[in-house]
Amino acid sequence: MDSDEEDYVFFGKPIEREEEITNRRKKAAAEASGNLRSLPPWKQEVRDEEGRRRFHGAFTGGFSAGYFNTVGTKEGWAPQSFTSSRKNRAEVKQQSIFNFLDEDEKTELESQNLGTSSQFDTFGFTAAEYARKQANKEQKQRPSAIPGPVPDELILPASESIGVKLLLKMGWRRGRAIKDLHASSLYDARREARKAFLAFASEDTKASHPTDFEPVEGEPENFLAQPADDDAQSSQSLPVFVINPKQDLHGLGYDPFKHAPEFREKKRSRLSNDKQHGYRKAISIKDSLFGSKSGKAASGFGIGALEEFDAEDEDIYAAGYDFEETVIEEDEEPSRLSVESKKKAVRKDQGVLRGFKVATVSDYQLERFDPPIIPKDFVPHHKFPGPLETLKKLDVPSPPEVPPPDDNNLKLLIEGVATLVARCGKLFEDLSRKKNQSNPLFSFLSGGNGHDYYDRKLWEEHQKRGDQAKLSLDGKLSPSVQKMTAENRGKLLGEKPLERSSRETTSSSVASGDFVQLQFNLSDTFKKPESFNELPEVAKPFKDDPAKQERFEQFLKEKYEGGLRSMGSSAASNMSEAARAHERLDFEAAAEAIEKGKRGKESLISEQPFDFLATGMQFTSGVQEQVKDTHAENLMTKKMYPRREEFQWRPLPVLCKRFDLIDPFMGKPPPAPRMRSKIDSLLFMPDYVKGAKLEEDLVTNRDVPVAQTDAQKTIEDVAGKEIEVAAENVERPVDLYKAIFSDDSDEDVEDINTKKVEDQEKKIEVATTTLNRLIAGDFLESLGKELGLEVPPDMPYSTNNVSTPTQKETPNGENAILSPLEGRTFCAPKSVSGTSLNPGQETAQDGELAKNESIPGRSVRYSSKYPDGLSENISGKVNMEKIAQEDKKGKSSSRHQRNWSSSSSSEDERSRKQSRRHRYRSSDSYSDSASDHHDRYRSRSKGRRKKSSREKSSSSRKHSKHHKHRNRDSPSRSHQVSEREHSEARKEKRIRRD
Amino acid sequence: MSVKELPRKEANVLNGHEGAVLAARFNSDGNYCLSCGKDRTIRLWNPHRGIHIKTYKAHGREVRDVHVTPDNSKLCSCGGDRQIFFWDVSTGRVIRKFRGHDGEVNAVKFNEYASVVVSAGYDRSLRAWDCRSHSTEPIQIIDSFLDTVMSVCLTKTEIIGGSVDGTVRTFDIRIGREISDDLGQPVNCISMSNDGNCILASCLDSTLRLLDRSTGELLQEYKGHTCKSYKMDCCLTNNDAHVIGGSEDGSIFFWDLVDASVVSKFRAHSSVVTSVSYHPKDNCMITSSVDGTVRVWKQ
């Protein structure tokens, strides 16, 4: 730039000169102070703090209020600029009256709310509440031996209301009436008289008293209460509420006698009869029904002296003679005091309505139930299950362990379905069962082949999910959470592993005298019974030597069951000390490998990154020890890293615009600030636990050779097994959906078979990544999508099913030719119909193929992954463009894709197929990128959109295909082959026709 | 590609910088290259003929990174003066300066349309600057990094930054997600594979790590060189078959992408190799070094 000035870097804010700013203000201040005193009020000018004159007088402009004499807002009266509500519909504001109110109006409005100040809170509710809260708080703070609230602390006196305080000051005592003493003294006198009279009166007189029935209940209680606090009772200012214990079986607050108080009296009398054992009274019901009103005393009967009518004292004589004749049957039976007889009598005599008889056999019987017996192992502590409803099924007893079906496809399918069902619930199972009724592959759902295994798997999945649920707090957590074992944790924390194994190696080589110590060590090792449960599935590393295998199993048993090792097993008869030691080493290593493999198979991240290392290790078994050492310290870090986390991030609209993208957050409110606490990392911890699993898997592969330096073959066995294990246990819902919901007779039968193993791994990888991205909600959503959008009708299935066996039966010429090729067959159709391919690429693939075959194991994946994935991407793109053009021509293409049997064989279809094959190969390595491409294309051009989405679906369908037809040995394999041949035959036909 | 095809023969030495050269970059078609260094200049070269074409001077401190638009019309550069300079290539004038970083700016990149410059700074932030409007305020500040951001990469939809906090963070504009891949080691430099599916991250534990972008898994580690205290670039060959990295002893390492073996290694400079850049099409590479030279390598 021209000016040198711009090259300087400025730090901080430049200091402005003070005079400039404060000049005017100073002036204003000076004027204000000077003028105000000297000038009369009407000559004074109102100026703001800046010294400007804001008030001009009514005729000279009024207030210069707000912004430049407008209203008090910046916009003034100007209408707001029009904003289209098309894009920001969500932001349409709800108007309320508060939007139009000034501040003072608002405060006025708000101040309308009335509240009781605690000072004038007569009933002391607030204070009581407060006190209770306080008590609660204290309760929490103080450690208490007794759990739960202590009643003394909770029942607190409410603070006195002001009225009570005043009264107290004036000499009032609690419990006394607020009335003149004279009255109460009169009352007292009368009361004394009553008492005296009572002393005379015998019990039967009292009982025979005609009006006795009225206060039956109140009476004894009152009498009982009197001596306790006489003065309080005497004045009766406050009614003493006698809390009657609830003795009936009605609901709270329910009054059965609400509209029939007569019955209440009846009841009461009966009860009182029960109480007073000596005699019974029978009151005719007529009395109570039609007689005097219950609350009222019969006035004529000299109540005054005997009765204690608290409130009614005054109007004893005012009640008038509405007393009707009452017949009181009274029979005394003092001799019969036994409860039974009394009961019977009561039942007989009482409670009989006129016109009714007492039933001889009453079906009312008080039933008594014993309290439930608490089991001995009951722990009075409630464990909350996880949020998933599937967890409820956890307590279902485990179905017996069943060996997986021989058919590997079926096994995978079963496991996949089990995983899904465990995740989505029973509903999914029903759905898929219904959907696949006709499909023999899914017969295990309805009790067919492999049902036991399915049950077992389902249960395991539930179990697993239960464990997960404990760990994961939100649905976003990756599904492969699993329990941390102590070893695991120790490794993560960087602890040294127990010295057990190393010790054993030395001890076995040193002397048998060390056995004591060894046993001690062993007893210290962890018990791991649960892992032993599942061992039989995997643990056959010494297949070739049954005796050794047996010893190994014995070893495992002891190892995992803990406790002391029996001498017999380790001193396996005729083996030399050295041989035994060697074997022990083998066993240790193999056991570790197996266990790790088992743990590893649960991990979702495919273990590919380390495969090349592992495989590399496998075949150079001489140097493991050393390599192990070098890797030992790296293991720690590797286990943790790389660790992936995902956050919400909001790009600003401008950025999106500049990147020519649509703002993903368009019209949404700003996101909440991101969580940045330690909890964050804790929550996401399982992610790297997964990583750890991965790592261990790697170690496994490395360790296996240690165990069997002599038998390279078995190593491969184990390795192969582990690959399988790793593959089979991976959850891959997307494919499964496809497998279940999409029709089986897709056209992609001509899929490449050679790369089977790698392909499936990659697909698993892809599936797992997709899975990882799906949080719970999205998952369901995608399920819906799958159901709604991408599920083609399943009608072609049956037809194909019928047709394939025939194909299989009749081996035509092509079949014969193709079958020896087997793996390579995918090349053949290409060369037949390959028009858009350049030959060089093909040869490259062939070369790569040869490479694949030459190198066993998974290291292949890498050799194939990068270079040709890249080059093919390009060709794939070229093809896609071609197709895009062709698509415009053929409109019926979508139908073609679905239905193989459609006879129309247009040019574009074939080439599309081919390109699909292409794309498939190019997308194996980076199928994510492929989908990216799709997206991009979709957004770019409309014409391509159709095609790309279709291709996406087709490619994913292909994935599912591969999972199903994976194993060469499986019966369905032949089905697949025949299908492929079928398609090829058709292709041939087409070419001939062409 | 065989080892023989790797660019191992020195074709030209571009002398001119006084002091360390901190970065050397090919332009998008590979016909020219830019270098910048401690002498506060940016230099434009024709590496194939070894000619110095132009010098851009305006920076007040060392220039740490430079990038050129795909149409070769504009440059952006950044450095120790905490500013991003937006240059016109032909006239050599500064069109705009973007101030806002609170510390040195380590890396800078244009997006696909050259409408946005994204810079990575010592102030733990990535900032996006608008080249179209006249505003000099950042249009986006990404400050989720915990430490210095050393390097930045852009795709059509994503911004990827590598930081000393050990993370490679991918900010997907299209879906509004931040994906953080924690490598556990300070990340010095990141570079994308040419197919866009992997990220090569140079870590300060003398290891290059290859990450799968979609899954975040570690695909491979490349070791053998020394990289402990300098910001040193790494890159992949244009066919993604090999990984190239410099070393602090002045060597250049070629690793096989797949099996991580050191395919080739030779001493290229007398001092730390600060930057390597691979020709987009040919087997050609330029390296820059603290020794003040930029060297052009061909097969």
Side-chain angles (χ1 to χ4, degrees):
Chain A
M1 195 66 181
D2 36 11
S3 67
D4 279 341
E5 201 181 5
E6 292 200 47
D7 295 339
Y8 289 110
V9 185
F10 291 103
F11 294 93
K13 254 188 205 170
I15 299 167
E16 288 177 280
R17 276 192 294 168
E18 208 181 277
E19 298 143 34
E20 286 175 11
I21 321 160
T22 50
N23 217 0
R24 212 199 299 169
R25 198 175 291 169
K26 265 182 192 165
K27 196 179 157 198
E31 271 182 13
S33 58
N35 286 351
L36 280 181
R37 276 176 213 130
S38 54
L39 289 174
W42 59 90
K43 281 193 175 175
Q44 287 174 7
E45 276 179 351
V46 181
R47 290 175 189 274
D48 63 3
E49 66 274 11
E50 296 283 296
R52 286 174 298 212
R53 194 178 167 198
R54 308 308 291 265
F55 183 63
H56 304 288
F59 296 103
T60 52
F63 279 104
S64 77
Y67 295 86
F68 314 111
N69 283 342
T70 62
V71 250
T73 62
K74 208 167 195 171
E75 301 92 329
W77 293 112
Q80 280 192 331
S81 59
F82 170 75
T83 48
S84 164
S85 64
R86 195 169 71 96
K87 279 187 178 172
N88 42 9
R89 270 178 219 281
E91 288 178 344
V92 174
K93 273 181 194 165
Q94 204 73 30
Q95 286 185 332
S96 77
I97 188 142
F98 283 96
N99 294 352
F100 302 99
L101 290 179
D102 289 343
E103 287 303 316
D104 51 339
E105 282 172 323
K106 271 184 205 165
T107 52
E108 203 173 293
L109 256 187
E110 278 154 13
S111 68
Q112 295 288 336
N113 300 329
L114 283 179
T116 322
S117 85
S118 64
Q119 196 186 1
F120 297 102
D121 185 10
T122 321
F123 300 106
F125 282 140
T126 330
E129 194 71 11
Y130 178 75
R132 198 161 293 136
K133 268 182 197 160
Q134 193 65 31
N136 262 335
K137 215 186 283 171
E138 282 170 9
Q139 171 70 25
K140 269 174 207 157
Q141 282 163 359
R142 197 180 323 127
S144 162
I146 309 160
V150 177
D152 281 354
E153 288 160 357
L154 279 184
I155 302 167
L156 283 176
S159 74
E160 310 275 5
S161 72
I162 191 77
V164 174
K165 276 179 192 161
L166 283 172
L167 276 170
L168 280 171
K169 286 230 167 112
M170 288 162 69
W172 173 78
R173 291 286 170 274
R174 268 177 209 288
R176 281 186 190 275
I178 314 168
K179 58 182 180 184
D180 52 345
L181 287 170
H182 185 62
S184 69
S185 66
L186 265 180
Y187 186 89
D188 286 351
R190 203 165 0 154
R191 183 169 192 84
E192 291 306 310
R194 267 184 221 156
K195 267 189 201 166
F197 194 82
L198 261 178
F200 279 105
S202 64
E203 280 182 324
D204 39 358
T205 42
K206 185 191 161 204
S208 67
H209 204 277
T211 55
D212 206 16
F213 63 91
E214 199 274 332
V216 171
E217 201 165 11
E219 222 171 29
E221 278 148 7
N222 278 350
F223 277 124
L224 280 174
Q226 257 172 1
D229 48 350
D230 203 42
D231 60 337
Q233 197 64 7
S234 59
S235 59
Q236 298 293 317
S237 66
L238 302 170
V240 176
F241 292 105
V242 179
I243 298 160
N244 292 317
K246 185 169 165 7
Q247 287 166 326
D248 53 1
L249 299 173
H250 306 300
L252 270 182
Y254 173 72
D255 185 5
F257 308 111
K258 196 179 176 190
H259 296 297
E262 298 81 13
F263 289 102
R264 181 180 297 150
E265 298 312 324
K266 187 96 174 67
K267 177 107 183 271
R268 267 192 208 164
S269 61
R270 204 172 68 209
L271 284 174
S272 65
N273 267 349
D274 286 353
K275 278 181 204 158
Q276 304 163 356
H277 292 298
Y279 28 84
R280 292 165 295 142
K281 302 172 284 183
I283 304 159
S284 76
I285 196 73
K286 190 194 166 196
D287 256 357
S288 25
L289 273 179
F290 308 107
S292 66
K293 277 208 163 177
S294 56
K296 243 178 238 171
S299 43
F301 276 75
I303 271 177
L306 275 181
E307 281 310 309
E308 192 176 350
F309 286 166
D310 305 334
E312 288 96 340
D313 269 354
E314 279 81 24
D315 51 12
I316 286 174
Y317 301 106
Y321 295 86
D322 53 354
F323 178 70
E324 283 182 23
E325 56 152 346
T326 49
V327 184
I328 295 162
E329 301 154 295
E330 187 185 327
D331 46 349
E332 256 181 84
E333 281 177 289
S335 59
R336 291 171 67 185
L337 286 174
S338 70
V339 183
E340 302 95 355
S341 65
K342 194 188 74 187
K343 255 189 191 167
K344 214 191 268 170
V346 166
R347 217 177 276 152
K348 203 187 277 175
D349 300 332
Q350 289 188 345
V352 183
L353 283 172
R354 181 161 288 187
F356 289 92
K357 249 191 189 172
V358 177
T360 50
V361 182
S362 160
D363 53 3
Y364 169 74
Q365 210 130 32
L366 194 68
E367 242 181 310
R368 284 189 175 276
F369 298 98
D370 289 333
I373 297 156
I374 298 165
K376 271 173 195 164
D377 55 344
F378 175 71
V379 183
H381 175 73
H382 184 66
K383 271 185 201 162
F384 289 97
L388 276 180
E389 55 139 3
T390 50
L391 296 184
K392 285 172 197 161
K393 297 172 189 168
L394 277 184
D395 49 358
V396 173
S398 69
E401 189 137 337
V402 179
D406 307 330
D407 184 358
N408 213 7
N409 288 340
L410 185 62
K411 185 176 155 205
L412 282 172
L413 189 66
I414 286 172
E415 279 160 9
V417 172
T419 313
L420 271 179
V421 170
R423 180 178 308 211
C424 307
K426 191 82 175 152
L427 191 71
F428 181 82
E429 190 188 296
D430 298 338
L431 200 67
S432 48
R433 187 184 295 142
K434 214 181 290 169
K435 188 95 185 168
N436 295 286
Q437 255 169 355
S438 57
N439 194 339
L441 264 180
F442 285 86
S443 62
F444 63 86
L445 281 177
S446 43
N449 182 22
H451 184 66
D452 296 341
Y453 185 64
Y454 170 71
D455 271 353
R456 173 71 194 177
K457 270 290 154 193
L458 186 59
W459 179 78
E460 275 174 15
E461 286 300 329
H462 276 309
Q463 216 73 329
K464 223 190 280 173
R465 292 192 67 74
D467 290 348
Q468 283 173 28
K470 275 173 210 155
L471 273 179
S472 62
L473 291 180
D474 65 3
K476 243 166 127 182
L477 278 193
S478 62
S480 71
V481 187
Q482 55 178 183
K483 267 188 197 163
M484 263 194 173
T485 62
E487 284 176 20
N488 236 340
R489 196 180 302 118
K491 266 175 197 160
L492 286 178
L493 293 172
E495 288 169 2
K496 270 190 180 173
L498 281 185
E499 289 181 344
R500 168 168 44 93
S501 50
S502 61
R503 173 83 71 170
E504 275 167 19
T505 59
T506 53
S507 72
S508 53
S509 61
V510 171
S512 56
D514 280 348
F515 261 92
V516 184
Q517 197 170 13
L518 181 125
Q519 283 170 344
F520 181 71
N521 269 329
L522 276 173
S523 62
D524 272 352
T525 55
F526 301 112
K527 275 191 150 194
K528 285 177 278 185
E530 88 279 59
S531 52
F532 187 65
N533 279 345
E534 291 177 309
L535 267 180
E537 289 181 5
V538 213
K540 296 262 186 215
F542 303 102
K543 256 183 197 159
D544 50 343
D545 186 355
K548 198 173 181 186
Q549 173 67 27
E550 202 175 321
R551 285 199 298 275
F552 177 62
E553 273 165 18
Q554 181 69 20
F555 166 82
L556 277 184
K557 209 172 162 188
E558 277 155 8
K559 182 176 180 197
Y560 289 124
E561 280 177 349
L564 297 181
R565 181 161 301 178
S566 65
M567 299 294 279
S569 69
S570 57
S573 58
N574 49 6
M575 289 174 77
S576 75
E577 193 75 10
R580 200 157 54 225
H582 192 253
E583 196 180 83
R584 273 295 296 281
L585 266 177
D586 282 4
F587 285 169
E588 280 288 345
E592 206 173 27
I594 285 159
E595 200 196 336
K596 275 166 185 165
K598 191 147 44 63
R599 269 181 277 160
K601 87 183 172 182
E602 283 157 30
S603 74
L604 263 187
I605 298 184
S606 57
E607 60 283 273
Q608 269 84 356
F610 303 102
D611 286 347
F612 42 84
L613 284 180
T615 44
M617 282 310 308
Q618 231 165 294
F619 297 103
T620 56
S621 55
V623 284
Q624 298 93 4
E625 285 300 288
Q626 172 208 341
V627 177
K628 219 176 178 180
D629 285 339
T630 55
H631 278 264
E633 71 265 21
N634 288 347
L635 278 183
M636 272 297 302
T637 52
K638 269 192 189 173
K639 236 175 261 170
M640 315 259 242
Y641 304 109
R643 185 171 65 206
R644 172 162 277 207
E645 292 170 59
E646 265 196 69
F647 308 104
Q648 180 110 319
W649 172 68
R650 182 165 186 162
L652 295 175
V654 195
L655 189 73
C656 301
K657 199 177 156 194
R658 290 283 178 262
F659 271 79
D660 205 9
L661 298 167
I662 298 163
D663 186 359
F665 291 89
M666 192 161 56
K668 285 179 195 161
R674 170 166 142 187
M675 178 172 60
R676 269 236 174 264
S677 62
K678 286 205 169 171
I679 299 166
D680 196 344
S681 54
L682 277 177
L683 283 178
F684 282 90
M685 192 163 65
D687 270 354
Y688 69 78
V689 175
K690 233 166 24 190
K693 291 294 125 47
L694 233 172
E695 197 46 49
E696 281 159 8
D697 209 19
L698 165 64
V699 176
T700 306
N701 281 342
R702 214 177 283 140
D703 281 351
V704 170
V706 187
Q708 302 143 322
T709 38
D710 45 347
Q712 195 67 267
K713 201 174 74 187
T714 47
I715 292 168
E716 278 166 22
D717 265 356
V718 173
K721 206 180 287 164
E722 267 166 14
I723 292 166
E724 263 181 31
V725 160
E728 74 197 20
N729 221 318
V730 173
E731 300 165 90
R732 57 198 105 77
V734 180
D735 310 295
L736 254 144
Y737 285 138
K738 298 283 161 51
I740 293 164
F741 294 113
S742 67
D743 48 348
D744 274 21
S745 62
D746 271 343
E747 71 282 27
D748 353 292
V749 201
E750 87 279 15
D751 271 347
I752 312 133
N753 287 316
T754 34
K755 294 194 199 165
K756 243 180 225 161
V757 184
E758 336 150 21
D759 280 354
Q760 73 205 26
E761 276 167 14
K762 276 167 205 161
K763 259 168 274 151
I764 288 160
E765 187 186 341
V766 169
T768 48
T769 52
T770 44
L771 170 63
N772 280 340
R773 286 185 191 150
L774 293 173
I775 47 173
D778 288 357
F779 183 79
L780 290 176
E781 198 181 318
S782 76
L783 172 65
K785 230 180 258 171
E786 293 291 334
L787 287 170
L789 300 177
E790 301 218 347
V791 183
D794 51 350
M795 46 83 185
Y797 179 79
S798 56
T799 60
N800 216 300
N801 229 5
V802 175
S803 68
T804 44
T806 56
Q807 279 288 335
K808 204 164 92 184
E809 299 307 305
T810 58
N812 50 11
E814 260 169 40
N815 230 345
I817 296 163
L818 285 169
S819 47
L821 284 178
E822 273 303 328
R824 284 172 163 259
T825 30
F826 78 99
C827 287
K830 200 201 292 166
S831 54
V832 170
S833 62
T835 48
S836 62
L837 278 181
N838 50 353
Q841 202 185 318
E842 207 176 322
T843 53
Q845 268 148 18
D846 273 350
E848 169 211 326
L849 212 149
K851 212 167 158 191
N852 286 353
E853 283 165 358
S854 65
I855 304 168
R858 281 168 293 173
S859 60
V860 172
R861 180 174 170 266
Y862 274 83
S863 64
S864 69
K865 188 166 180 174
Y866 296 101
D868 85 290
L870 295 161
S871 62
E872 280 187 1
N873 254 343
I874 300 158
S875 67
K877 260 184 235 171
V878 172
N879 267 323
M880 274 159 60
E881 268 157 29
K882 208 170 199 169
I883 297 152
Q885 289 168 356
E886 281 167 356
D887 243 12
K888 286 166 197 163
K889 281 188 251 165
K891 280 196 176 175
S892 59
S893 49
S894 62
R895 203 166 49 84
H896 294 320
Q897 227 190 354
R898 289 277 153 73
N899 201 349
W900 254 108
S901 55
S902 89
S903 58
S904 74
S905 58
S906 57
E907 176 66 29
D908 64 342
E909 185 182 328
R910 202 187 320 134
S911 64
R912 196 191 309 124
K913 225 183 296 159
Q914 213 166 329
S915 74
R916 209 178 293 129
R917 207 179 304 130
H918 251 289
R919 282 205 49 72
Y920 179 59
R921 219 175 299 123
S922 65
S923 67
D924 324 349
S925 50
Y926 297 122
S927 69
D928 265 28
S929 81
S931 67
D932 262 0
H933 274 301
H934 290 312
D935 286 352
R936 220 169 289 145
Y937 277 106
R938 189 187 303 168
S939 64
R940 280 291 165 82
S941 67
K942 246 188 172 176
R944 285 178 196 170
R945 182 188 293 172
K946 226 200 290 178
K947 175 211 53 120
S948 64
S949 66
R950 201 191 309 133
E951 262 186 6
K952 206 190 218 166
S953 69
S954 77
S955 70
S956 50
R957 219 175 289 146
K958 232 167 268 178
H959 287 215
S960 69
K961 256 327 209 240
H962 261 259
H963 284 296
K964 285 178 90 177
H965 310 288
R966 178 181 295 160
N967 196 348
R968 293 185 183 211
D969 310 326
S970 70
S972 65
R973 152 78 185 159
S974 61
H975 163 82
Q976 182 211 0
V977 168
S978 68
E979 243 176 9
R980 194 188 55 225
E981 286 159 4
H982 179 64
S983 72
E984 272 162 13
R986 206 181 293 122
K987 210 178 289 163
E988 284 288 318
K989 242 185 281 170
R990 210 175 292 132
I991 287 159
R992 254 174 260 136
R993 222 184 299 155
D994 286 346
Chain B
M1 194 176 78
S2 73
V3 180
K4 283 175 197 166
E5 290 170 45
L6 287 172
R8 292 188 298 172
K9 279 184 218 140
E10 186 178 299
N12 279 309
V13 182
L14 311 178
N15 278 309
H17 275 291
E18 299 154 12
V21 186
L22 297 178
R25 308 265 182 260
F26 271 112
N27 74 333
S28 54
D29 60 4
N31 290 332
Y32 299 94
C33 75
L34 287 157
S35 64
C36 56
K38 286 224 164 177
D39 59 356
R40 300 180 288 179
T41 61
I42 300 156
R43 283 165 199 262
L44 174 64
W45 312 82
N46 184 330
H48 307 293
R49 294 161 61 199
I51 303 169
H52 174 224
I53 300 168
K54 203 171 175 68
T55 306
Y56 300 90
K57 288 182 185 170
H59 273 284
R61 300 268 176 93
E62 83 274 9
V63 189
R64 297 198 175 181
D65 197 9
V66 64
H67 194 227
V68 63
T69 57
D71 62 355
N72 295 331
S73 65
K74 302 286 193 306
L75 285 183
C76 61
S77 63
C78 63
D81 51 6
R82 310 196 291 176
Q83 299 180 38
I84 292 100
F85 284 54
F86 185 49
W87 304 80
D88 185 66
V89 170
S90 52
T91 62
R93 291 196 164 195
V94 175
I95 301 167
R96 212 162 292 150
K97 292 176 186 173
F98 301 114
R99 298 186 180 93
H101 272 293
D102 299 330
E104 292 89 338
V105 188
N106 289 319
V108 74
K109 282 275 190 311
F110 277 112
N111 73 335
E112 190 195 6
Y113 314 110
S115 56
V116 174
V117 170
V118 180
S119 59
Y122 183 73
D123 59 353
R124 300 183 289 181
S125 71
L126 279 175
R127 280 164 202 253
W129 311 87
D130 192 355
C131 300
R132 293 216 173 130
S133 75
H134 287 280
S135 118
T136 53
E137 292 297 308
I139 54 174
Q140 174 99 46
I141 301 173
I142 299 168
D143 51 1
S144 58
F145 290 96
L146 305 175
D147 208 336
T148 309
V149 193
M150 292 302 286
S151 182
V152 64
C153 273
L154 298 184
T155 67
K156 282 182 180 175
T157 61
E158 289 147 313
I159 299 171
I160 308 160
S163 164
V164 177
D165 65 4
T167 59
V168 174
R169 290 174 199 256
T170 306
F171 300 89
D172 195 325
I173 302 166
R174 193 171 47 178
I175 57 171
R177 300 289 289 174
E178 171 191 345
I179 299 163
S180 158
D181 290 313
D182 195 347
L183 294 176
Q185 291 292 337
V187 176
N188 220 349
C189 167
I190 54 171
S191 74
M192 292 255 292
S193 64
N194 292 297
D195 62 354
N197 287 311
C198 298
I199 279 188
L200 184 67
S202 162
C203 299
L204 274 182
D205 59 343
S206 299
T207 310
L208 302 185
R209 291 185 166 87
L210 188 70
L211 292 179
D212 189 315
R213 283 186 56 208
S214 54
T215 60
E217 54 181 89
L218 182 64
L219 296 176
Q220 190 54 284
E221 291 186 340
Y222 307 95
K223 291 183 180 175
H225 64 301
T226 358
C227 173
K228 293 200 182 297
S229 50
Y230 288 86
K231 173 181 179 350
M232 290 161 59
D233 284 356
C234 55
C235 67
L236 288 106
T237 55
N238 52 26
N239 54 5
D240 283 349
H242 292 95
V243 170
I244 309 169
S247 177
E248 287 181 6
D249 60 359
S251 310
I252 300 285
F253 280 72
F254 287 92
W255 288 273
D256 188 87
L257 181 98
V258 178
D259 57 19
S261 57
V262 178
V263 172
S264 176
K265 170 196 167 183
F266 58 91
R267 192 167 167 88
H269 290 275
S270 58
S271 183
V272 181
V273 180
T274 53
S275 178
V276 286
S277 176
Y278 207 86
H279 193 280
K281 290 180 208 77
D282 300 338
N283 287 328
C284 177
M285 173 179 78
I286 51 172
T287 59
S288 66
S289 168
V290 174
D291 65 7
T293 58
V294 176
R295 284 170 204 258
V296 186
W297 305 87
K298 292 188 175 173
Q299 54 169 315

